[in-house]
Each structure stands twice: as structure tokens, then as C-alpha cells.
Amino acid sequence: MAIAMKAFEVALHELDGNARVMFVEQDFPMNDALKGLADTYFPHLEALIKDQEFTGKAGSTLVANSSTDGITFVILIGLGKPNSVNHLDVEACRRSIGKLLKIVQCKKLKTVAMQLPSAQAFGITPEFFGQQVSSIAAMATYQFDTYLTDESRILEQDIQFNVSVKEDNLAAMQEGIDKGLSVGRAVNRARQWVNLPPNALTPRDLADEAQEIAKKYNLECEVFDRDKVKSLGMGGLVAVSQGSKEECRFVIIKHTVSDSAPTLGFVGKGITFDSGGLSLKPPMHMETMKEDMSGAAAVIAAMKVIGEFKPNVNIVMVAPMAENLPSGEAGKPGDIIRFYNGKTAEVKNTDAEGRLVLADALSYVTAHYKLDALVDLATLTGACAYALGPFFSGLFSEHEELAKKVGDAGERAGDATWRMPLTNDYKSAVVADVADLCNIGKKSVQAGGTTAAIFLQSFVGETPWVHLDIAGTAFNVPQLPYNRPETATGVGVRLLVELAMTWEK
Ligand code: BES
Ligand code: MN
Ligand code: ZN
């Protein structure tokens, strides 16, 4: 159930594969390599390029049938034009590979030979380029097929890629490819958890999955059940989960290297289903609310890669998990609750539940660990999704250096973020008359993404902190060709892995 990718220092035509793939820049010349490809597999290549007006624009592809023995297709992939500093765009390349995989799966190709452009053209190392190519290929191949009984709808996921690279790059390239395959598999694992329906993945199930990952990679893991959560005074997690017969969970996974190494905190929202509670969502908005544990899925999946590659930083991952349902036991609008750090909030809307469970998680992790950085990921607000759409996660922070570090890691890794405002002006919007905080922002302030972030800020103290609102990016982003419609994207996994692996560089 996975792709394989191996680099060779031989020419494209010497590699095994049912297809020959080459990448070209926009307005490419008919060079020797392309002429060779044409001579061997498809004499009319140049005519076809002209006929189809294929110029190598970013995202464009050209597929030619070949009659040569065993080779059924020649595929050209457009990379677009270099930017102002003469670098090709890595994201354009990732998207092109996404398109390539759609073609490969549609044509039912099992082995693919491809020649990669040089990493230099993108201004990155061969290792990092290899990592990008293989991780995105793995992501593009994934399909949520667990519940499909009609074989004809199930796509091939075992695909072998043989890659032709320049000799001096071989070792670095293969190292990057292997790393990328691991990252891609982790992204797909996060996606699978998100895609599993709420009747198949409860807070208990997700906590079990987390525990299994920790065990496999020898990471310390603690799981608090409902009684423990109650006795610790995590009033947010208790309130959100009390309407459901499914118990809440609070999961901690730790990667520890040394006392002197920096320590990062990763926190993920784990609402396995968000009905809104008594402040019930309308049906249209409830349809996809199994996605509301995407933050938890991302941090757990990131720990899987971190457990594998053991970067030289300590990492503490925390994920509060609950199901938000209405019932006779459910929390009510007007309830006042007390969080782990002693602060209180009036719950005016039980559908603003993410900030309640995160408040306990952020309080807990900052109380117990001296963190150099804290990043939380949450499908937190529709407002952020409305503001940014599916292409950027909202990045909220008052810490300039960390905001840049996280934003840059996301940019490099393919999880794009966009900075949103977070200033003192918004603070009064979440103050309640009868408690420290109110869980919804004042109407006059609007800015729902920011007022949610401001609420969270009360629970991080002085810790350098970034909040990523992934409500718009976690699910159903078919505009990016390495995703599939109506399913999870696994957003955040690549960003967190990149941040951890490059923290001290
Ligand atoms: N889980 C939702 C946010 C969400 C919306 C995630 C769309 C993914 C896609 C969150 O718990 C929520 O319901 N937020 C409310 C907050 C409001 C009541 C202040 C919202 O955004 O409407
Ligand atoms: Mn909600
Ligand atoms: Zn929610």
C-alpha cells in the first residue's frame, strides 16, 4: 500500500518503467534529451508538442502513446518559468507531480521511469529536492478506499518510481527520497485518521492510535482518561466532552534528547466530531465535522516522523480529544467553567469548543515544560476559512521571530501559511462580565479567527507561541492536485517535521 522510489545514475531510457517522464521549463527548446526520447519512443513528439500547443507552462502535461515494446506512454510535465532570482518554483513542481500521479493511476501504470530536473534550478539541495519529489508522490497516490467495495473504484497505490539522476547527486538524492517517503506516509496516516468517519474514530480510538505510534518509535506516551482529566481540573475538556457517551482523552507524546537541547511544544485540536453541542450546527456545516481532529492528527503523524529521524530537539506533543455532542448531560450556553490554569470562561456558545479544549492543553504544556516554542494546530474557526480560503492556513502570533520561523518552514515544506493580525486591540472582545473570558468574541469586533486566537493567548503565558488555524486547509482542497476532493489534506505534518528537523539550522 505504498509507492517506492529509487534513484539511479543511468540515462532515462535505460531504466525500467511502463512510462518515460521528463520535466520541462516553459518555452523549452527541443534539446538532445527530448530528441532522444522522441527517437526511441515516439517519433512524432515534436509535432504533437506543436499540435497540442504544449509550452511547459506550470501545471501543464503532455501524454503521448508510445508503441515501443513495454513502454506505453511518454509524459512531459511543465514546470513553468523561473522567478526573479532565476529559480523554478518548488510548489509548482509539487503540483505537477500531483498531476503526474493522477495520470499514472488513471492509465494504471505500475512502474514509472522519470528524469528529474536539477535541484539547482530550484535553488535547493539535491537531498531536499528528492524529499519533496517523493513525499508529494506518496501523498498524490493516497486514496481513502477503506469503505469502497467496488474494486473498480480502487486506485493502484503500489507504484514503483525509477529516477534518473546525475551521478554526483545519487547518494544525497536517495537519502532525500527515503526521508520524503517517510514524510509522505505520515501525511497519509494523518489523512486516514481524519477521513475515518466519526463512528470509526472516537477519542479513545485516536488516543490508541497515538499510543501505538509512540510505542513503535520508542517515544514516551501518557494518556489521561476522563477521571484523570477531571481530577486535574481540565474544565474545558470536561465541558466539551460531557454531552457524549464517548470518553475524552488527553494524550502526551514526548521525544526527548537532552536537557540542554531546545524544547518545542506541538498541540493539536482533537474533536473527533463537532456537532456544535447544544448550540447545534446547521446540517450543512455539520457534514464534514469529522475533520475537527485534523490538528491532533497532524501533531501525532509528525511525531511518527520525529520518532523515526530523531532530530536533536526535545518535542512535547499534546492532543486533547473529545466528541462535541448535545444531550441531557451536555454543557450549556451560560455555563461557567474553570481551566487547568485556574482561569474561568463563560461558555456562550457550545460550538466554540476548540478553544476550550486547547485552553487546557496549552495551560498544561506551558505549566510542565519550559518551551522554546509552542505551535498549535486547530480547525478552529469558519471565519479564518472564509478569510483565506483553501490555500493558506492562518498564522497568528505576537512573536516575530517564531512567526517567521514557522511561516518559512511551512513555505519550504509545502504547507503555506498567511499571517493574520493578533494585537492587544482585540483582547477586550473575549472578556466576559461574569468570568475572566467569554468563549465567543463581541459582535462589534467580528474578526472571528483573531478573537479565537486571543482567547488561546490567555493560556500560553510568556511562551513564544504560534497558532495555526487550519479550518480552511485541512479538508476538501481539490484545487491542489496532490489532494482528492471531500477528503483530508494532512495539512501541518510537513510543516511540523520541517520545523523540528531544521530548528537549530
Ligand atoms: N470546528 C469548527 C470550525 C470549523 C469550521 C472547522 C469549518 C472546519 C471548517 C469550530 O469548532 C466552530 O464551530 N467554530 C465556530 C466558532 C463560533 C461559534 C464563534 C465558527 O467558526 O462558526
Ligand atoms: Mn465548533
Ligand atoms: Zn470545532
Side-chain angles (χ1 to χ4, degrees), residues 269 274 281 289 291-292 349 351 353 379-382 440 471:
K269 171 178 174 182
D274 180 13
K281 283 182 185 296
M289 278 304 132
E291 69 168 291
D292 216 16
N349 187 321
D351 195 13
E353 86 297 339
T379 44
L380 201 62
T381 67
I440 53 173

